[in-house]
Amino acid sequence: MELYSSKYNYHGVINSKHSLINNTLTGAVDIIENNIWNLIEAQKFNLIEKDPLSNLIERGYLYGDPKEEKKLFYTLYNSFMKKATSRPIRFVFCPSYYCNLKCIYCFEKNFSYYNSHQFMSDAVFTKSVDAMEKLAEEYSGRVYAIELFGGEPLLKRTKRTVEKILEAAKSRKTSVTIVTNGVNIEKLIDILSQHKNNIEYLQITIDGPPDIHNKRRKYKSGRGTFDKISNGIDLLIKNNLKTKIRINVDYSNIEYIPSLYEYMHHKKWITNKNIKSQLSLIGDHSSLEYNNVIVPGEILLKKLIKIYDLHPELEEAFGYHIFKPLRHLLDIIGGAPNISPKFINCETNLLELHILCPDGLIYACPESIGYPEYAIGKFYPNLEYFEYKVKLWKERTIFNIPKCRECKFSPICGGGCSYSSFLIHKGDMVPVCERYQEVLDTFLKLRGEKILKKFIDGLSKDIPVE
Ligand code: SF4
Ligand code: SF4
């Protein structure tokens, strides 16, 4: 029987005897002996025994006819898109492009240069709510989610607009999430606590223990913000408001996670049910260059694993979510339900976010706000999509980008960050790739034995290929 290898097979060596294989389309993850995999790569299928071979066929690593895989690809893609395109859109209000801080890595640094509309006027705000109503009606019949973003949304000057947004959410029985730098909690706690039943959570960023954080997230005067933020989080706790602490990491601050974690422990934030925390990766979407701070994913991963080796409780707490190439695989291994390939890079490809900004424009990607050339429409003075711009975001699919069409990671990558590609490749259909191969290989080198043990201990009866 003639056999063909799937286009979507990933293979990573664990040790001299075993490898892990993953089919990114079917979601199959298995352990295989290296000598069997070598025969597959050499296409010597006739030398493989019947059992492993039929398992490999069953799990989508091999096909009798390449058309079968194409058919499966389109079936899974269509079913994903059917679900994804029926998801309601999320409305993000930016009451201000202005921010009261000057963080060292901020992607919005040049706002005042590019965009003169620093604050949302009353007239623009009224139109933003009208636009939300009309669009919600068009898409799903109701407003399902409201978010607050900026600039910094929680300022003395924006307080009245924020209050009106919270009122608008309350009257529509819609929950609100707020992304804030956290330094003005005290100034707005009255309206926040008044609307606490509607606020899902506030996301506040901390970059490390006080001395590290203060060097990175500071006021325009250069003064550090750690104490203000820490007091703000305490105040939220006191008022029963939920907080998500985002810990921004890059190569220069990642080693300080343990001391920040110790601080959070000391404050009893770790055990507080109203506080969640997660790591978040700092990247530079405008460049392909690396430096001392932004390094290739596998190098950061190595450093993180060294930290986890010394502090296993941190591995338990934060895991590897920041590495996009690992998410799909670890979700499957962890037994998460209903894992399917995702076929798109992020919500911008389906215009799931509508970001309503002070300049009266609608943006699809949070990083692109303030740059009118990337707006997908306007809501002031009238609501209108810019069809040409809409197309730019929506057409960036794994079918339209030639490199993605041939890529084994395409079902789980979805074609890379569109905004990054706009900035770097100026609208050409050239993707900006995550380092899937390198990150996965490094992970298996350093954590593969653990996965192998998990398979042998818990899943041995299910291991189809051995
Ligand atoms: S962006 Fe790169 S990694 Fe992602 S699907 Fe396209 S080619 Fe593959
Ligand atoms: S397009 Fe890129 S920067 Fe914008 S939301 Fe998606 S991944 Fe993030």
Side-chain angles (χ1 to χ4, degrees):
M1 172 185 182
E2 200 161 3
L3 285 171
Y4 300 86
S5 286
S6 161
K7 212 169 143 181
Y8 304 105
N9 287 341
Y10 163 75
H11 159 248
V13 174
I14 293 177
N15 56 29
S16 59
K17 194 166 176 234
H18 289 107
S19 289
L20 178 141
I21 49 174
N22 168 221
N23 187 279
T24 59
L25 182 64
T26 64
V29 175
D30 296 283
I31 302 294
I32 190 165
E33 286 184 12
N34 294 339
N35 53 3
I36 298 182
W37 191 255
N38 291 341
L39 291 175
I40 288 167
E41 294 208 306
Q43 308 217 332
K44 293 182 178 164
F45 304 117
N46 57 330
L47 298 181
I48 305 174
E49 284 174 23
K50 186 169 166 279
D51 271 4
L53 201 59
S54 52
N55 277 324
L56 287 162
I57 296 170
E58 194 185 310
R59 291 177 68 73
Y61 298 106
L62 297 174
Y63 286 87
D65 178 351
K67 280 195 207 125
E68 279 176 54
E69 178 161 65
K70 217 170 186 182
K71 205 168 137 201
L72 176 66
F73 187 98
Y74 281 104
T75 307
L76 291 172
Y77 176 79
N78 288 334
S79 117
F80 170 84
M81 288 307 269
K82 200 169 158 197
K83 276 191 212 140
T85 47
S86 63
R87 292 197 289 242
I89 52 176
R90 284 149 47 207
F91 295 98
V92 184
F93 286 84
C94 287
S96 152
Y97 276 146
Y98 174 81
C99 179
N100 46 353
L101 305 191
K102 196 176 182 184
C103 303
I104 53 170
Y105 48 77
C106 180
F107 61 83
E108 297 181 359
K109 261 194 237 162
N110 298 323
F111 263 18
S112 47
Y113 177 74
Y114 283 102
N115 203 307
S116 55
H117 301 84
Q118 294 289 289
F119 294 93
M120 201 179 247
S121 68
D122 286 348
V124 172
F125 173 72
T126 306
K127 288 286 185 179
S128 70
V129 177
D130 291 350
M132 173 175 76
E133 283 298 346
K134 276 192 200 134
L135 290 166
E137 198 55 49
E138 230 168 83
Y139 279 83
S140 57
R142 71 163 275 228
V143 176
Y144 277 88
I146 290 181
E147 298 173 16
L148 269 169
F149 189 66
E152 169 52 38
L154 303 188
L155 299 167
K156 222 165 130 194
R157 180 149 171 196
T158 56
K159 188 168 178 176
R160 218 163 45 90
T161 313
V162 171
E163 193 170 12
K164 285 196 249 172
I165 295 169
L166 292 170
E167 289 294 344
K170 188 177 170 192
S171 67
R172 287 163 184 80
K173 296 191 173 50
T174 302
S175 65
V176 183
T177 54
I178 303 174
V179 178
T180 169
N181 59 32
V183 299
N184 276 344
I185 299 297
E186 200 185 340
K187 291 190 181 124
L188 280 90
I189 193 67
D190 50 344
I191 59 167
L192 296 174
S193 76
Q194 212 180 316
H195 289 273
K196 70 174 158 217
N197 295 337
N198 263 69
I199 297 177
E200 204 176 323
Y201 61 83
L202 291 97
Q203 180 189 290
I204 297 179
T205 301
I206 301 185
D207 271 23
D211 51 332
I212 299 302
H213 173 98
N214 284 338
K215 280 188 196 136
R216 298 162 60 92
R217 298 186 67 82
K218 40 194 176 184
Y219 287 103
K220 294 192 192 300
S221 66
R223 189 161 52 94
T225 56
F226 191 92
D227 291 344
K228 268 272 174 230
I229 292 172
S230 178
N231 293 341
I233 293 173
D234 285 340
L235 198 53
L236 292 173
I237 294 174
K238 205 169 141 202
N239 284 276
N240 274 322
L241 279 144
K242 293 193 173 73
T243 308
K244 197 182 259 184
I245 298 177
R246 172 180 158 133
I247 305 167
N248 273 351
V249 291
D250 56 36
Y251 199 72
S252 68
N253 74 335
I254 199 164
E255 71 216 63
Y256 301 101
I257 301 173
S259 39
L260 173 60
Y261 196 73
E262 208 180 302
Y263 178 88
M264 290 163 63
H265 229 299
H266 166 74
K267 296 286 289 180
K268 299 195 169 55
W269 293 348
I270 301 292
T271 46
N272 189 309
K273 65 175 179 18
N274 280 342
I275 307 253
K276 298 260 177 298
S277 54
Q278 65 176 48
L279 302 184
S280 181
L281 202 58
I282 297 177
D284 179 1
H285 285 124
S286 66
S287 168
L288 293 173
E289 302 293 318
Y290 295 112
N291 51 43
N292 293 340
V293 177
I294 313 288
V295 297
E298 67 276 16
I299 294 182
L300 194 73
L301 175 64
K302 268 190 208 161
K303 196 163 176 180
L304 184 63
I305 288 181
K306 262 193 194 161
I307 296 167
Y308 284 169
D309 283 342
L310 295 171
H311 304 274
E313 71 284 8
L314 297 184
E315 186 164 12
E316 185 73 25
F318 298 123
Y320 296 94
H321 181 81
I322 50 172
F323 299 97
K324 188 179 162 206
L326 297 179
R327 281 180 210 156
H328 188 74
L329 181 73
L330 293 180
D331 279 351
I332 296 170
I333 292 173
N338 306 324
I339 310 271
S340 94
K342 64 185 195 77
F343 297 108
I344 57 162
N345 175 64
C346 71
E347 52 261 269
T348 62
N349 302 111
L350 297 175
L351 301 193
E352 285 183 279
L353 284 186
H354 278 51
I355 309 171
L356 307 162
C357 287
D359 48 16
L361 295 172
I362 307 172
Y363 295 85
C365 155
E367 289 213 18
S368 72
I369 64 168
Y371 299 100
E373 62 271 37
Y374 298 112
I376 54 163
K378 63 176 186 175
F379 59 89
Y380 184 86
N382 301 310
L383 180 60
E384 179 190 332
Y385 278 122
F386 305 147
E387 290 306 334
Y388 170 69
K389 294 294 170 69
V390 165
K391 190 167 156 265
L392 280 187
W393 292 92
K394 284 177 94 172
E395 74 181 356
R396 295 198 66 89
T397 69
I398 48 178
F399 300 107
N400 293 337
I401 304 173
K403 188 175 172 195
C404 303
R405 279 203 291 268
E406 301 310 317
C407 172
K408 66 176 148 205
F409 298 113
S410 64
I412 56 171
C413 166
C417 169
S418 305
Y419 186 52
S420 192
S421 177
F422 293 152
L423 294 180
I424 296 168
H425 300 300
K426 311 289 174 220
D428 289 340
M429 278 294 181
V430 179
V432 175
C433 300
E434 300 267 345
R435 297 171 68 85
Y436 275 85
Q437 186 79 44
E438 296 84 348
V439 170
L440 281 161
D441 288 354
T442 302
F443 184 73
L444 287 178
K445 218 178 269 169
L446 299 172
R447 281 294 184 263
E449 291 287 352
K450 271 196 178 177
I451 295 173
L452 187 60
K453 188 169 178 312
K454 196 170 173 178
F455 266 78
I456 290 168
D457 286 354
L459 307 170
S460 54
K461 59 180 184 306
D462 296 322
I463 298 177
V465 184
E466 255 286 48

